[in-house]
Each structure stands twice: as structure tokens, then as C-alpha cells.
Amino acid sequence: MSGVILSPQHPLSAGLTSDSRLVRAYRGERSDATPVWFMRQAGRSLPEYRDLRVGTRMLDACLDPAMASEITLQPVRRHKVDAGIFFSDIVVPLKLVGVDVEIQPGRGPVFGRAYADAAGVAELTAIDPARLDETSAPITEAVARTVAELNTTVPAGSVSTGSTSSGSTPLIGFAGAPFTLAAYLTEGGPSKDHLAARTLMHADPGAWRALMDWTAELTGRFLRTQVLAGASAAQLFDSWAGAISLADYETHVAPASAAALAHVHDLAYETTDASGAPSTRSVPVVHFGVGTGELLGAMHGIGVDTVGVDYRIPLDVAVQRVGEGVPLQGNLDPALLAAPWPVLEAAVRDVLRRGEAAPAHVFNLGHGVPPETDPTVLTRVAALVHEASA
Ligand code: CP3
């Protein structure tokens, strides 16, 4: 793909987010404090979210630009985190191209059927992924509204260096990686071990390949839409990649994840470097999965700037697996959010200390915020991260 320069109004091009703590960390620079955000920071842990969602189904909320935008902003205002993560879901692009899918509360994405064999895959891949470009207006509008709010009313934590004296909080766009989407599509819903996907990749590699290629194209377009509309970073969630071996990952998964990311790798913005000379930078990309200790090097290898680490591996060990020089994101065990404060505080400080082994660190959890989390604890953790790392 040939390079595309983001519009001058994009927060990265306009200099609003390019020197934020988050974007600087994603390019390997440390700032005045370690940036922090939480996976699933928007959602059921917040009473204001539960109030707003009454009577609206999950996917309807995702496709209502005013609601999706408001839900995205709630945790940024409340916790003073260094990024918003766009309120949506990995199955939204499937819904937008007409796939029969809903999200059942407490369960997750459920499809009208399972796409577990060649016939199912043929039916699914008969849909043209480019249809997304005709139906993604609610995404573009929700992102644009969110970014406009972040630019005007939610200042970034602080921006310490360079000529920029103020900035705004960046929005992170995201998409599901092809394997994680395939784990749901082949089962027709959530599963524990993702057996149907692991079977199909070996039983019918041709059908698997077709499923992965199609999914990569669709999810890549979804991610691109968010960045073009104003997101300052992109995270690819391969949540369930930890279910497969390194060999299977490299052969049957990594090429599709790389193809999905090709949809954002060509997006760039113009800026000036430390000496004031003009330079072009690409949009930062993060890659995360659960239980991926064996895969971290390969997950970095598909071409991402930052690797997200779950809570099973300390960050200083992750540095050795990913390779030195790579910024890391993570990795407090979400279970500790319910522990007594002294226990939690010690764990936060330990994560920060181990994160010093990487060139830059974005503090996060090792997976999503549990719905029953006391939100005042999250606010306190965010403040501690800023204070302890300053
Ligand atoms: O704050 C954020 O992190 C942004 C929003 C976000 C959601 N889904 C909203 C959501 C993000 C980044 C996702 C991604 C997502 N969705 C992933 C990858 C990240 C991960 O957690 O591993 C996956 C695997 C899904 C699929 C999915 N959607 C699951 C497993 C669930 C949870 C089911 C449940 O009720 O426990 C969903 C639904 C969902 N997506 C909710 C939210 C806030 C809960 C819906 C509700 O409030 O009822």
C-alpha cells in the first residue's frame, strides 16, 4: 500500500496527541510520568455506564454515535487515564456487513450459526468486506465526536517536553485479530479452548486460509476507519492466540494478523523531529493477547511498535522474549484490583519497576477490568502510577 498522510485536522497531524505521554511511549520515549489506561475501562465497572446502557443492547449502543462517544469518555473523565479506548466491540465490523451476531450479557458474541467448515466459510466470505466502507458511518461519527470532545474538554495529563505546552488525550482505536474473531466464528459463540478454530486450521487449511484472509480484510478496514476518523493509535486484540502453539501461530495466524495491520501501516502524519526538521511518522500500533508468553516474539514480529503483555509473565522477562528496544504495555493482574490496598499498591509498584527494563512502558492490566471492580480503586491506581513514576 502506498503511504497516506492523515489530514491536517487529525490529532496526530495537528500536534494535539503526537507528544502525549501515550504516543511518546508507543514510540519508545519516556515522559514526565508513565502513561496508564485500562483494557475495558469503559463498561460495567462504572455506574454511569450502567445507567446509560439501560434498555439498549450492546451492539445497538456501539452503533449509536452519541452513546458510544459518551461511554468512551466516561472513564477518561473519571480516572484521568492517558488514553480513551473507543467503545465498540471486535464483532462490530461483522455486524456492519450483515453477519447475524449479537452480544449476550455475561456471555459474549453469539452468531446465528457456526462457520466451522468449508461450506460455512464459503457463505461468510461471499460477503464483500468492502461493504464496511458503506456502513461504517456510525463508527466514523462516534470517533469524530469523541476526538472533538477529547480535544476541547479533556486535557492530556501533561505534556512535558518540546515546544508543545498543552495537548489532548489520545483515542486508541482497536480491532480483533483474525484468529480471535475466527475462534468465535467457527464455534458460533464463545468457547473455552477454541477447538473448532484449532481443528479447522489443520483439517482444511484452504478453508482456514480463506476465513483468515477475509477476516483480516474486514477487521483491517474497521481499524483503518477509526484511525482516519481521529484515533491516534491502533491496538490489535488477539485475545485468544495463547490457545495455539508457536508453530501454528507462525504458519496459520501471523500472516493474517500482518495483513490486517497492513490497513493501518500506510497511515502516517507529518511532524518535526527533535532538531526541528520535518519528519514523517506512522500511526503507533499495539498488539495484545492473553496467555501469549510463548508467542511474544512472534507477535512483535508481525510488525507492531508495542507489545501488550498479560499478567502471567513479568515485564522484565517479557523484554527478553520480545527483544530489547520494544516498548511494553501491561500487566497488573486484574484480580489484584479486589485485594487490600497495600497488596495492590505493592503490585502496581512492582509492575512499574519491572517495566523499567523496556525503553518505555504503558501501564495497563494484564487483561480487562472485571465488571465488579470498584471504580474508585481504578482512579487510585491511575494516580499512583503517575505519582510513583514521576
Ligand atoms: O473499554 C474498552 O476496553 C473498550 C471496549 C471494548 C469492548 N470490547 C466493549 C465490550 C473492547 C476493547 C472490546 C474488545 C473485545 N470484545 C475483545 C478483545 C479484548 C478482550 O477482552 O480480550 C473480545 C474477546 C471481545 C468479545 C466480547 N465482547 C466479550 C468476551 C464480551 C464480554 C461478555 C460479558 O458480558 O462478559 C463482550 C461484550 C462487551 N464488549 C462488553 C463491553 C463493555 C460487555 C457488554 C455489557 O456491558 O453488557
Side-chain angles (χ1 to χ4, degrees):
M1 261 180 246
S2 60
V4 172
I5 299 293
L6 296 170
S7 84
Q9 290 78 40
H10 190 285
L12 285 171
S13 314
L16 288 166
T17 56
S18 49
D19 290 314
S20 61
R21 287 173 182 158
L22 183 91
V23 173
R24 292 188 65 188
Y26 284 160
R27 65 172 179 257
E29 295 170 16
R30 290 193 177 259
S31 348
D32 62 318
T34 298
V36 49
W37 66 278
F38 304 110
M39 290 187 276
R40 287 281 165 88
Q41 63 189 17
R44 279 172 293 177
S45 66
L46 299 185
E48 57 270 36
Y49 169 81
R50 297 194 297 266
D51 288 349
L52 200 61
R53 274 287 315 282
V54 172
T56 308
R57 286 178 306 179
M58 175 61 190
L59 289 177
D60 293 337
C62 294
L63 298 177
D64 175 335
M67 195 180 282
S69 172
E70 172 59 21
I71 293 172
T72 304
L73 294 164
Q74 285 174 344
V76 183
R77 294 191 199 107
R78 186 194 257 266
H79 301 312
K80 311 263 182 291
V81 280
D82 295 284
I85 172 112
F86 182 52
F87 181 77
S88 193
D89 195 82
I90 58 170
V91 298
V92 164
L94 292 161
K95 172 89 177 168
L96 285 172
V97 296
V99 175
D100 178 9
V101 58
E102 59 166 336
I103 292 183
Q104 293 183 0
R107 197 162 166 229
V110 176
F111 293 87
R113 58 163 293 178
Y115 303 91
D117 57 16
V121 170
E123 189 179 305
L124 188 67
T125 57
I127 302 173
D128 182 358
R131 257 169 75 179
L132 188 74
D133 298 347
E134 286 139 42
T135 56
S136 60
I139 305 305
T140 300
E141 191 186 330
V143 169
R145 287 176 87 120
T146 308
V147 167
E149 283 279 323
L150 288 170
N151 289 348
T152 53
T153 62
V154 192
S158 95
V159 184
S160 61
T161 60
S163 54
T164 323
S165 60
S166 68
S168 59
T169 304
L171 177 70
I172 302 170
F174 77 92
F179 175 77
T180 290
L181 285 167
Y184 288 102
L185 286 162
T186 53
E187 298 276 353
S191 64
K192 200 162 158 276
D193 299 314
H194 321 301
L195 272 180
R198 287 158 55 207
T199 299
L200 184 64
M201 71 173 67
H202 294 285
D204 192 339
W208 175 257
R209 178 84 203 272
L211 176 62
M212 294 298 272
D213 288 350
W214 182 86
T215 310
E217 173 82 25
L218 182 70
T219 208
R221 283 174 185 266
F222 178 57
L223 198 55
R224 183 181 184 87
T225 298
Q226 295 167 60
V227 174
L228 288 175
S232 292
Q235 178 155 327
L236 190 70
F237 280 96
D238 208 352
S239 299
W240 312 137
I244 55 178
S245 68
L246 177 59
D248 281 346
Y249 181 80
E250 286 178 331
T251 307
H252 298 292
V253 173
S257 291
L261 290 179
H263 290 263
V264 292
H265 274 325
D266 66 318
L267 301 178
Y269 61 102
E270 280 166 348
T271 180
T272 48
D273 67 17
S275 67
S279 77
T280 304
R281 286 195 185 122
S282 50
V283 174
V285 176
V286 188
H287 196 190
F288 167 79
V290 180
T292 48
E294 300 300 324
L295 308 182
L296 288 175
M299 287 178 71
H300 175 246
I302 69 163
V304 297
D305 303 288
T306 297
V307 173
V309 182
D310 92 338
Y311 53 86
R312 290 168 182 81
I313 292 196
L315 292 178
D316 49 337
V317 175
V319 166
Q320 285 151 24
R321 301 206 180 172
V322 175
E324 277 179 27
V326 181
L328 296 181
Q329 178 171 280
N331 74 345
L332 179 77
D333 184 347
L336 288 169
L337 294 171
W341 177 254
V343 176
L344 174 55
E345 177 176 356
V348 169
R349 290 182 187 277
D350 187 58
V351 169
L352 285 170
R353 196 162 48 241
R354 292 175 187 275
E356 284 169 18
H361 173 211
V362 175
F363 190 97
N364 207 312
L365 305 178
H367 199 192
V369 174
E372 53 283 354
T373 301
D374 174 354
T376 64
V377 171
L378 290 173
T379 309
R380 206 170 167 191
V381 169
L384 173 62
V385 170
H386 287 152
E387 176 203 303
S389 63

